[in-house]
Structure formats: C-alpha cells, structure tokens
Amino acid sequence: MRNADPDPGSLADDPGAVLWLGSPDQPRVLLLHDMAMTGSTSWLGQLQLADDMCLGIVDRPGYAITDRASNAGWTADARMLLDLLDDNGPAHLVAHGCSAAGALLAAQLAPTLVSSIVLVEPPLFQLVEGSSLVEDLAGKFVELYDQGCLLAGAEFLREYQLTLGYLEPPPWDVPERCAEAARKETPACQAPLDLEAIAALQTMMTVVVGGREGPEHDPGERTVFGGALWKTAEALVEAADGWLVPVEPAGHVVQRCTGLFNGVLRRHLDTWWSTEDHSHAAAG
C-alpha cells in the first residue's frame, strides 16, 4: 500500500506503509492488523467509516510488499507508531490481535499522542494472573516461537492454530511474506506490559472480543484461545476502567461483522468526544 503523502517522513527508513482516507479535519483513527495479515485485507469493512473519520490503514513492519527486511513484532510496531504519530499528530489506535502489544507500548512511551485505544482480541496473556489455562497457552506460544526458525511459514501457521486449541485447523491462505513475517514475530505475551502501567495511562480503552458460539467455531479454539482472551480482556478493562464489548457471532476476525464492529468504533469515539477534555486536542 502506498503512502498518500508524497513525503513519508521517517517511515521511509522503516516502511510500514500507511494510507490516510477521509478528511484530515475528522478524528484520526489508525487501524493496525494482526499477524499473517495486511492492512488492506484486514479492514475492508471499515472503509465506509472514512465518511466521518480520517482512517489510517497501515501495514505493520515486515508485512508490506516493500518491507520484507524488517523484523515484525511489538518492538518494530511501537517504533513505527511513535514515528508515525510524531509526524501526523495524535490518533485513536485500533489494534487487532498481536498488534495490541505495540499499540500499548507506544501509548506508554508517548501518551499525549494516543487519543484513545480499541483493542480487538488482544493476546496479552502476561496480564492475567492465577489462570492455569492462560499461563499454559502463553508458555506454548513462547515454545512455538522459539522453534519457529525450524519451520516454514505455512508450517508455522498450522502449528500456531494447533496451539490456539484448534482440533481441525482450517487452511490459512495468506501471502508467503505474511506467513514468514508471522513466524518471525516476538509473541505479544512477551511484551513488557503490566496492569499498573496500563492503569497509569488514564487513556480511554475499549476491548472487543468475538463470540464463539455455534457449530461454525472450533470447540477447541473456543475453549482455549477464546477463554484466555476473555480473561485477558477482563483484566485490561478493570485496569484501564474501560469497556469490554463482546461481538456475536464473530470469532477472532471481529471486524468482519462489519455493522456490529463499526457500531462499536462509532460509540467509542462518540464517548471519547463527550467525556474527554479536548481543549488541547488535535484532530483525533
């Protein structure tokens, strides 16, 4: 994806490509995709929001066609976000899956540049204490990534799904570069995050989880990954004094339930606008 601005600034050195859609006078909302995906394929259902938001569609480092050299993961994500926000001004961050770690790290490092945060199915299992299910899953993720160098991208993604609890992993049809970037990520559950620091941000936060009822959802993934995500979401919203919003009948890719998810984003921004002090706020 090309940057709409002819001067991409600091992103020229670490090209996580970004495209801004909509009027710059509207609230800026930056959309961050999960592992093994791209910005252009992850947020198709949200493009209609550009009528009343300024949407930033971004390819995380390591995932863009022009950026195969960068390492993927929360360190690169946070660095990219800090450069991008410094160049463009404050924005609301919407982070799906593994990108949640980099979004929170960027918010901790530059809180005045992050207007608010929406986390979608964040696998931040380091924030949960006292759950053997969550601790076991986090440990398996770390083991899998440690062995990632021995696996091809497609093999890694299948093992990843088995780790999530899938009994019968469905085919994961993604570009090879995205599979390889996913294999090279550092697990989100290893990011240096804690609930005390998240609470200290005092940044408005909504955490969205997908429902997993019905036969279309794998019962193993529902129990293991779905259960761990719910406990993580509860810990996050308690620390941040935020909102936990389940979206039925979505699974992990919640944003594909376009009407429901877009409604969540609109309510989040409406709430932010009605409750926050905007005397020094730029657009977004």
Side-chain angles (χ1 to χ4, degrees), residues 1 11 15-20 29-34 37-40 42-43 55-61 63-64 80-81 84 94 99:
M1 214 185 285
L11 292 178
V18 62
L19 174 68
W20 290 102
V29 179
L30 189 60
L31 302 173
L32 303 165
H33 64 84
D34 196 7
M37 298 182 179
T38 65
S40 59
S42 294
W43 305 104
L55 294 181
I57 311 294
V58 64
D59 286 333
R60 296 167 56 207
Y63 283 93
M80 178 200 72
L81 285 170
L84 181 58
V94 180
S99 66

Side-chain angles (χ1 to χ4, degrees), residues 6-72:
D7 177 15
S10 60
L11 292 178
D13 298 324
D14 189 14
V18 62
L19 174 68
W20 290 102
L21 301 172
S23 170
D25 296 329
Q26 297 295 327
R28 273 190 292 273
V29 179
L30 189 60
L31 302 173
L32 303 165
H33 64 84
D34 196 7
M35 63 174 285
M37 298 182 179
T38 65
S40 59
T41 58
S42 294
W43 305 104
L44 292 175
Q46 284 62 61
L47 297 183
Q48 60 189 268
L49 295 174
D51 290 339
D52 49 19
M53 303 175 194
C54 183
L55 294 181
I57 311 294
V58 64
D59 286 333
R60 296 167 56 207
Y63 283 93
I65 292 176
T66 57
D67 183 28
R68 305 206 181 181
S70 295
N71 289 326

Side-chain angles (χ1 to χ4, degrees), residues 255-276:
Q255 62 268 41
R256 290 181 184 168
C257 287
T258 303
L260 292 174
F261 182 75
N262 289 359
V264 171
L265 290 186
R266 284 194 170 100
R267 287 193 298 275
H268 175 89
L269 287 179
D270 287 346
T271 302
W272 176 82
W273 188 258
S274 64
T275 59
E276 297 293 317

Side-chain angles (χ1 to χ4, degrees), residues 117-186:
I117 300 172
V118 177
L119 301 180
V120 184
E121 295 249 308
L124 304 175
F125 304 136
Q126 67 272 49
L127 303 179
V128 179
E129 296 181 354
S131 170
S132 59
L133 175 109
V134 177
E135 291 175 0
D136 289 348
L137 181 57
K140 290 177 181 178
F141 271 134
V142 173
E143 290 178 8
L144 174 61
Y145 277 94
D146 285 344
Q147 299 170 4
C149 60
L150 304 176
L151 302 172
E155 294 174 318
F156 172 82
L157 291 181
R158 177 174 174 80
E159 291 300 317
Y160 186 90
Q161 289 175 298
L162 290 172
T163 301
L164 295 179
Y166 276 96
L167 304 179
E168 293 293 336
W172 202 338
D173 186 17
V174 301
E176 181 181 353
R177 75 175 191 279
C178 294
E180 286 298 312
R183 181 178 66 83
K184 296 175 182 178
E185 285 209 37
T186 304

Side-chain angles (χ1 to χ4, degrees), residues 229-250:
L229 284 171
W230 188 270
K231 290 181 180 296
T232 302
E234 289 180 325
L236 276 164
V237 297
E238 182 176 356
D241 192 23
W243 292 271
L244 172 55
V245 182
V247 174
E248 302 285 356

